[in-house]
Amino acid sequence: MNIIPVKTGRPYEIRIEKGLLAQTGALLRPQFRGQNLAVISDSRVAELYLKPLLDSLEAAGFGRPATFSVPQGEESKSLQMTSILYNFLAERHIRRSDCLIALGGGVVGDLTGFVASTFCRGMSFVQVPTTLLAQIDSSVGGKTAVNLPAGKNMVGTFWQPSLVVCDPDTLDTLPEDIFAAGVAEALKYGMIRDEKLFDLLALDGAREHIEEVISRCVTIKREIVQNDERDTGERMLLNFGHTLGHGVESGSHYALSHGFSVAIGMNMIVKASVARGLTAPSVLERLEKGCRRYGLPTFYDGDLERVLEICRSDKKSEAGSLKAILLHSLGDGYIQPFSFEEFESFVREGLE
Ligand code: NAD
Ligand code: GLY
C-alpha cells in the first residue's frame, strides 16, 4: 500500500492501493471507534460501490451507517442539497463527534466536505474518491464548495479530510470520457512539475500505470498544499490552464466538462506563450499529442470574447488583474501576474 502523509494544519494520510475499498472499515477503526458514520454518495456510485463499502464497515464492527445518495452531476453541489443533507443528518442524530464518508467523484467530495465543515460547526469526514479526477485532485487539499447561480464553487471552506481511501480498481467502471477528464488534470501536474509523469501519461498510458500516476499526482499536490494550504501563493500553480478553462467551461454552458475545458485552457495558454517566445514550440506539440491520445480537445471553437469576459470575473482575479500560470519548460511552471488588458492581448495574439 502506498501511504502519503499530508502535513497540513490537520494532518492526514492518503492511502492508495487496488482493492482498498474493501478495507475502508479496518482503516477507519483506529480513528473512529465508537462514532456513528454517515455515507454520502451519488446515485450511480451508490449502485456500484455502496454495498462493498457498507460490508467493509460492518466487518470492522461499525453499526449500520446512515446513507444518502444525491442525484449524479454538478447540480447536486448546491445550497439546496446542503440544506437537505443538514436535515438528514439531524434526523439521524449525527453529531459533531461523528464522521461523514464521501463516496464518489469530486461532486460528492466537495459537497460532503462542505457539509462536514459546517454541520454542528464542523465534523470529521473521510474521502473515498471514485473518479480519477477525485483521486488525484479534489479529495486532497481540503477545498470544499457548492455552487451559486452566480458561479461555480462560490461558497466553500478549507476543511481537510481525516483520511483519503483511494482504490484505483473503482476506476474500471468509469466511462472513458470521465476517465479522460481526470487525465487532463494529471497532464497538468506533469506540465507544471514533473516531466517524467507527463511522458508516462503521453507515451505509455494512464491506465497501464494507474497507481504510479495517482501517487505522483497526489505527491505533487500534497507538497504544494503543505506549502500554501490557503491558496495565497504557490497553490495557484495548480490553476495551470484553469483560468481560461473556467471561461471555456462556463462559456460552453457546461456542455464541456471541467477536465475537457482544462485541456483546452492548457493548450490556449501554451499557444500564447509560444507565440511570445516564452515557451518552446515543442512543449505545445507534446501537449497536443498527449491530449489527443485521450480524446481531449485542444482548441475551443466557441466565442473567445465571451471566454475572456468570464476570465475577468474569475473569483481569483483581483482588481483589474489576474495571475496566469506559464511554463519555463515542460515540468517547470511559474506564476505570472497580468492586467486584464495584457492578458487578453496575450491570449488573442497567441490564437491569431
Ligand atoms: P463527478 O463527481 O460528477 O463524477 C462524474 C460522473 O462519474 C458522475 O456521474 C458519477 O456518478 C460518475 N462516477 C463516479 N465514480 C464512478 C465510478 N467509479 N464508476 C462509474 N461512474 C462513476 O465529477 P468529477 O469529475 O469526479 O468531479 C468534478 C467536480 O470536482 C467539480 O464539481 C469540480 O468543481 C470539483 N473539483 C474540486 C476540486 C477540489 O480541490 N476540491 C478540484 C478539482 C475539481
Ligand atoms: N484544484 C486546485 C486546488 O486544490 O487548489
Side-chain angles (χ1 to χ4, degrees):
M1 184 188 316
N2 197 347
I3 303 176
I4 300 177
V6 186
K7 296 194 185 79
T8 38
R10 181 171 32 188
Y12 57 101
E13 286 178 351
I14 303 160
R15 297 199 172 220
I16 306 165
E17 191 177 65
K18 285 172 175 258
L20 205 56
L21 182 67
Q23 290 180 50
T24 308
L27 292 173
L28 259 63
R29 238 178 102 81
Q31 282 189 68
F32 298 106
R33 190 182 293 265
Q35 272 99 327
N36 290 314
L37 305 175
V39 181
I40 316 293
S41 191
D42 76 23
S43 46
R44 176 68 183 139
V45 177
E47 205 174 86
L48 292 163
Y49 299 113
L50 186 58
K51 184 169 183 322
L53 175 65
L54 294 180
D55 288 348
S56 105
L57 296 174
E58 195 179 333
F62 288 102
R64 195 81 183 160
T67 62
F68 193 101
S69 296
V70 303
Q72 312 176 53
E74 191 67 31
E75 296 71 37
S76 285
K77 260 177 66 172
S78 67
L79 285 172
Q80 290 86 330
M81 189 55 74
T82 305
S83 171
I84 291 170
L85 285 170
Y86 290 150
N87 286 309
F88 168 77
L89 296 173
E91 279 162 18
R92 298 306 173 101
H93 309 291
I94 297 293
R95 298 289 176 258
R96 185 190 293 177
S97 57
D98 295 330
C99 175
L100 304 186
I101 300 178
L103 173 70
V107 163
V108 166
D110 279 14
L111 172 68
T112 306
F114 182 66
V115 169
S117 70
T118 46
F119 186 72
C120 293
R121 296 205 175 90
M123 60 185 297
S124 302
F125 86 116
V126 167
Q127 291 267 18
V128 186
T130 63
T131 63
L132 180 58
L133 182 141
Q135 294 189 351
I136 64 171
D137 189 355
S138 61
S139 67
V140 178
K143 280 189 184 174
T144 83
V146 295
N147 304 326
L148 292 182
K152 238 175 95 87
N153 298 334
M154 292 286 280
V155 181
T157 52
F158 288 96
W159 192 252
Q160 303 294 341
S162 301
L163 177 70
V164 181
V165 179
C166 177
D167 180 352
D169 278 348
T170 59
L171 305 180
D172 291 349
T173 51
L174 265 192
E176 257 340 284
D177 60 330
I178 298 178
F179 184 80
V183 173
E185 293 284 2
L187 288 168
K188 172 197 80 179
Y189 288 113
M191 296 293 285
I192 59 167
R193 270 287 161 87
D194 186 347
E195 186 176 9
K196 282 203 178 108
L197 166 65
F198 180 88
D199 283 339
L200 188 71
L201 295 160
L203 307 177
D204 291 353
R207 287 226 188 248
E208 291 78 352
H209 302 278
I210 195 66
E211 283 190 66
E212 184 179 351
V213 166
I214 296 168
S215 299
R216 288 183 95 113
C217 291
V218 159
T219 301
I220 294 169
K221 181 153 185 183
R222 182 268 305 258
E223 277 162 21
I224 290 176
V225 167
Q226 284 179 173
N227 291 338
D228 178 21
E229 191 172 343
R230 288 289 173 140
D231 202 12
T232 56
E234 186 180 340
R235 191 164 176 170
M236 289 178 202
L237 281 173
L238 297 172
N239 281 333
F240 175 61
H242 279 59
T243 302
L244 286 161
H246 284 147
V248 166
E249 190 178 0
S250 165
S252 75
H253 302 285
Y254 300 94
L256 285 163
S257 70
H258 179 76
F260 278 45
S261 305
V262 166
I264 293 172
M266 291 192 292
N267 278 275
M268 284 168 92
I269 201 79
V270 175
K271 250 177 223 154
S273 302
V274 171
R276 283 275 172 104
L278 299 171
T279 303
S282 60
V283 175
L284 180 61
E285 285 155 25
R286 287 166 73 187
L287 174 62
E288 284 173 340
K289 202 170 157 203
C291 289
R292 278 199 297 269
R293 178 181 179 125
Y294 297 94
L296 291 166
T298 57
F299 65 93
Y300 183 53
D301 52 11
D303 181 356
L304 176 65
E305 294 311 312
R306 175 76 191 124
V307 170
L308 293 174
E309 201 182 300
I310 296 165
C311 290
R312 281 182 178 243
S313 58
D314 191 285
K315 68 176 177 306
K316 286 192 178 126
S317 63
E318 292 155 22
S321 69
L322 55 78
K323 294 191 173 84
I325 311 307
L326 307 182
L327 304 173
H328 291 300
S329 60
L330 205 158
D332 185 9
Y334 65 99
I335 302 169
Q336 178 64 51
F338 282 96
S339 71
F340 286 151
E341 291 72 26
E342 283 167 347
F343 182 71
E344 287 169 9
S345 44
F346 179 71
V347 174
R348 281 197 201 96
E349 282 167 31
L351 300 180
E352 267 169 10

